[in-house]
Amino acid sequence: MCAFMAWEGITAQHLTRVAPEQVGLDSRQLVYADRAIEEAIAEREIPGAVLAVVKDGKMAYLKAYGNRRTEPYVDPMTTSTIFDMASCSKAMSTSVCAMILVERGLIRLQDPVSHYIEDFRDWESEDGQSKRTIHVQDLMTHSSGLPAYASVPQLVEQYGKLNADGLMEYISTCPRQFEPRTAFRYSCLNYITLQHIIEQVSGESLRDFARKNLFDVLGMDYTDYLPCREDSDGNWVNTADAHWAPLVKGDWHSLIAPTEEQPNGQILCGQVHDPLARVMNGGVSGNASVFSSAEDIAVLCAALQNGGSWNGHRILSPMGVRAMRSIPREVSELGRTLGWDNCTPYASNNGSLLGAQTYSHTGYTGTSIVIDPESNLSIILLTNHVHPHDEHSVIRLRTLVSNVVAASLTGDPVEQMAPYTEHYYKRIVDFMDEKPVTSDNIVMLGNSLTENGGDWSARLETENVINRGIIGDEAMGVYDRLHLILPGQPAKIFLMIGVNDISHDLSSEEIARRVEMIMERIRRESPSTRLYVQSILPFNESFHRYKRLDGKEEMVAQINTLLKAAAKRHDAKYIDLYSRFCPKHSHTLPAEYSTDGLHLNEEGYKIWVKALRRYM
């Protein structure tokens, strides 16, 4: 069982975090992915999820939803949660390890499997008249003819538990179900066989080989195989620490999303869910048993999209990557690449909108990796839908999410998609990393005056006040980020925006119209939110700091008159801060309240806070 208290020790970002617009994605479209996932949680199809979107080698979207554990207590999902990757292990580890050995001249895809496993039987017709060799490539493309799976109870009866050699003996001699390369049948036995080849050739366990040649190379510190055994009480326990154990305080299991409750009541947490991988192979298996996090997988996706290297560290050559994501010509009609899925019935997680070269893999526990080379886009959707009971499916959800993310690719130049400052997008990423806005929140929404206010909960002595100010923001910038606020239906929004619009040489009427667009949208998308429209504050030209504001002090009063009327039209409370700062018959911010003629000092914030306290 995972420890109740978890220390979230994963803080380093593997890939550069950017706002979606900075890499040509539409963040407003991505909200539909949030909705699809949240609906699946509401319908109890999944306890929670993590979604990561990688574009052009950057992390464009990373979000956690729901809970990673619901039994016997609730533990919230985080973006650093580590998942049982199930069959995604085949693609993200076993196949990559095999290709590494191919590139080193130690494995040949055309080699017979029997070249490495002496007792491995090839295919033979029932009458014994025809024989066909099963090759390494056939294992990787699931065209070998091996059965899909094996009965674990029968294997245990025949060989006993934790008997990898016994399992391999069974695979070597079990009936072949069709002639190699004539059909496709997805088979865990293929990749358990491939594991044995990798281990024989390398002289190392799959766990050690993957660590040295793949995970460590890319800095995937939170990715590992977790060996396990059954104890005397019938519970599954790990026999070695995870690679990340030294990186966290407390029990290293605390970062893991648990899977299914077992007949004896144990909930697996760090012990692989797949029965063959757990019961026969003891947690290190070619078909399943990798545990990983969204950020680690994102690094692997970035490396594959970058011709096999990331941040100067190479795992495969560009030709090796191209081979691994291409369907071999001998089985071109079957739809499987050397480790990944391209167009078989198992590839519905690709969705309907991504390019024809898209390759992907899924895992039974609810994991999915999709990579589109054409758009340089990767979609990582991680769930543990088998927790606490294996009663639901995520097939439909995967397709929905892939289609939403694909549709967020606008095709517009990045300059058009990202018209705001670098600081603007840095703040957007910060907001995405914070807890989502909820109906308990009071939102302070605006530009630098709001952002520089810092902790508004402390200032206003009111819980749940969050700062959504961005230095340099303008009315349309606020409008374009409302999708990060309004779905949470916040209790109150205090809006102040417009002074930076003045510096863009817009008329008072145009600025007021843009602010009114914000009011209209808040009313439309979050009708229960109480909206407070704050007047624009005056500024002081005598500081000579903001040349584009020179000669425009009187515009503030004109805009505020228009905003007051607009607030009334939209049933919003108008808060006149302007007159609290301006002396009578003046349009100028007194110097004693400002640091530079535009921004407030602490004395200025005291005046602002005093005006707002009555509305808390």
Side-chain angles (χ1 to χ4, degrees):
M1 182 181 294
C2 291
F4 182 81
M5 295 299 292
W7 179 75
E8 296 299 336
I10 302 176
T11 56
Q13 301 292 346
H14 292 289
L15 297 183
T16 300
R17 290 292 304 281
V18 295
E21 279 73 13
Q22 290 177 286
V23 287
L25 302 179
D26 186 347
S27 60
R28 290 165 292 193
Q29 169 68 20
L30 292 171
V31 170
Y32 294 112
D34 297 343
R35 292 178 184 175
I37 294 169
E38 287 161 355
E39 182 177 337
I41 294 170
E43 294 295 324
R44 298 190 175 182
E45 296 171 2
I46 56 174
V50 174
L51 173 63
V53 179
V54 179
K55 180 71 170 71
D56 300 337
K58 297 180 174 65
M59 184 73 83
Y61 207 67
L62 179 63
K63 194 166 183 179
Y65 313 79
N67 301 303
R68 61 183 170 203
R69 174 186 281 275
T70 59
E71 294 292 341
Y73 52 84
V74 174
D75 193 12
M77 186 70 75
T78 68
T79 56
S80 58
T81 296
I82 294 169
F83 289 81
D84 179 340
M85 295 303 298
S87 284
C88 284
S89 307
K90 296 180 176 74
M92 63 181 289
S93 179
T94 313
S95 63
V96 176
C97 290
M99 289 302 296
I100 289 171
L101 293 173
V102 168
E103 291 196 340
R104 294 177 184 176
L106 297 172
I107 289 179
R108 193 174 70 119
L109 295 176
Q110 293 74 26
D111 280 341
V113 175
S114 58
H115 177 78
Y116 303 96
I117 302 173
E118 185 177 354
D119 296 328
F120 189 90
R121 294 181 185 176
D122 291 317
W123 176 85
E124 185 176 315
S125 63
E126 290 185 7
D127 60 11
Q129 298 301 307
S130 298
K131 296 182 179 181
R132 292 291 184 273
T133 300
I134 299 175
H135 302 86
V136 174
Q137 175 179 291
D138 305 330
L139 301 176
M140 299 184 74
T141 57
H142 294 285
S143 59
S144 69
L146 287 177
Y149 209 70
S151 170
V152 173
Q154 290 181 17
L155 290 171
V156 170
E157 182 178 354
Q158 183 174 356
Y159 299 106
K161 295 180 179 178
L162 303 180
N163 193 334
D165 291 338
L167 174 57
M168 195 61 240
E169 178 183 311
Y170 169 82
I171 296 172
S172 296
T173 58
C174 69
R176 279 54 177 138
Q177 297 186 335
F178 55 82
E179 181 180 341
R181 302 187 180 182
T182 63
F184 159 75
R185 173 162 292 167
Y186 183 82
S187 169
C188 286
L189 306 189
N190 283 322
Y191 274 75
I192 293 172
T193 306
L194 189 61
Q195 170 193 0
H196 280 259
I197 294 174
I198 292 168
E199 291 180 339
Q200 180 180 318
V201 171
S202 69
E204 298 180 281
S205 71
L206 179 59
R207 184 192 192 203
D208 290 342
F209 184 84
R211 169 57 51 200
K212 294 176 184 177
N213 297 277
L214 173 56
F215 305 149
D216 275 352
V217 176
L218 293 180
M220 298 169 66
D221 290 335
Y222 296 89
T223 303
D224 202 356
Y225 292 87
L226 302 180
C228 62
R229 65 170 176 81
E230 195 174 26
D231 68 13
S232 58
D233 295 323
N235 292 319
W236 287 91
V237 296
N238 292 104
T239 58
D241 284 341
H243 181 74
W244 62 83
L247 306 178
V248 300
K249 295 177 181 178
D251 186 0
W252 55 265
H253 293 83
S254 62
L255 300 181
I256 300 173
T259 55
E260 189 175 7
E261 182 177 358
Q262 300 302 290
N264 69 350
Q266 179 190 12
I267 295 177
L268 297 175
C269 185
Q271 303 81 36
V272 59
H273 179 264
D274 180 83
L276 276 178
R278 184 178 74 254
V279 178
M280 297 305 296
N281 274 349
V284 180
S285 193
N287 68 310
S289 69
V290 169
F291 286 75
S292 191
S293 68
E295 290 185 274
D296 272 12
I297 299 165
V299 171
L300 175 62
C301 291
L304 294 176
Q305 291 285 61
N306 192 45
S309 71
W310 179 80
N311 200 25
H313 302 285
R314 181 169 296 282
I315 55 170
L316 289 171
S317 70
M319 298 300 284
V321 172
R322 187 175 72 172
M324 195 169 67
R325 63 179 173 84
S326 303
I327 303 172
R329 58 180 176 271
E330 297 91 344
V331 290
S332 58
E333 73 283 1
L334 299 184
R336 293 294 294 208
T337 75
L338 297 170
W340 298 80
D341 201 343
N342 175 254
C343 56
T344 77
Y346 289 81
S348 63
N349 59 312
N350 291 3
S352 307
L353 306 180
L354 294 173
Q357 298 178 46
T358 299
Y359 59 106
S360 63
H361 215 289
T362 61
Y364 185 84
T365 51
T367 56
S368 173
I369 305 169
V370 180
I371 304 175
D372 181 2
E374 184 179 347
S375 60
N376 201 7
L377 176 76
S378 301
I379 305 166
I380 302 158
L381 178 62
L382 305 180
T383 79
N384 55 332
H385 82 90
V386 295
H387 175 72
H389 305 294
D390 183 5
E391 299 173 338
H392 302 283
S393 169
V394 290
I395 292 174
R396 183 173 184 272
L397 177 63
R398 289 165 173 159
T399 305
L400 295 176
V401 170
S402 288
N403 284 342
V404 167
V405 175
S408 74
L409 286 161
T410 65
D412 294 330
V414 174
E415 306 82 58
Q416 294 181 27
M417 285 294 296
Y420 304 117
T421 64
E422 285 293 320
H423 180 76
Y424 177 96
Y425 292 109
K426 180 183 180 301
R427 286 284 284 171
I428 293 295
V429 171
D430 290 342
F431 299 155
M432 292 170 65
D433 284 345
E434 294 177 8
K435 292 181 179 179
V437 174
T438 71
S439 59
D440 293 329
N441 287 129
I442 298 171
V443 179
M444 299 295 295
L445 181 58
N447 51 34
S448 57
L449 291 163
T450 300
E451 181 179 348
N452 292 342
D455 186 349
W456 282 95
S457 273
R459 285 190 181 279
L460 296 166
E461 298 178 342
T462 303
E463 292 184 354
N464 298 321
V465 183
I466 58 175
N467 190 330
R468 287 295 182 265
I470 298 182
I471 293 171
D473 205 2
E474 55 198 40
M476 293 315 298
V478 169
Y479 185 90
D480 282 346
R481 58 188 174 92
L482 287 176
H483 64 282
L484 299 175
I485 298 171
L486 300 185
Q489 306 287 297
K492 301 177 182 180
I493 292 178
F494 288 82
L495 172 67
M496 180 195 288
I497 198 69
V499 70
N500 290 322
D501 297 75
I502 295 174
S503 69
H504 298 328
D505 298 326
L506 299 173
S507 68
S508 299
E509 291 74 16
E510 175 61 19
I511 294 170
R513 188 190 71 82
R514 294 186 179 196
V515 179
E516 187 168 6
M517 287 175 60
I518 299 172
M519 299 183 210
E520 291 170 349
R521 186 171 172 192
I522 292 172
R523 278 283 165 260
R524 182 174 65 252
E525 297 183 21
S526 188
S528 62
T529 297
R530 297 175 65 181
L531 176 59
Y532 299 83
V533 178
Q534 303 168 98
S535 64
I536 301 174
L537 297 184
F539 52 86
N540 189 324
E541 296 177 23
S542 67
F543 282 74
H544 302 297
R545 179 75 181 273
Y546 299 99
K547 300 298 184 182
R548 294 184 65 86
L549 292 176
D550 285 354
K552 299 176 181 178
E553 283 184 352
E554 294 188 12
M555 281 187 68
V556 177
Q558 298 168 8
I559 295 169
N560 284 337
T561 299
L562 296 171
L563 292 182
K564 183 177 182 179
K568 185 176 182 179
R569 286 194 295 273
H570 296 286
D571 193 28
K573 175 67 179 178
Y574 178 77
I575 302 176
D576 180 15
L577 299 176
Y578 182 83
S579 60
R580 288 176 176 263
F581 284 92
C582 280
K584 201 169 185 179
H585 307 303
S586 171
H587 298 293
T588 302
L589 175 68
E592 62 264 29
Y593 298 138
S594 180
T595 59
D596 57 5
L598 177 63
H599 298 100
L600 299 179
N601 57 24
E602 196 56 34
E603 291 304 310
Y605 278 108
K606 288 178 181 178
I607 295 174
W608 188 356
V609 166
K610 184 178 180 180
L612 294 186
R613 279 201 173 126
R614 60 180 293 195
Y615 302 108
M616 293 295 109

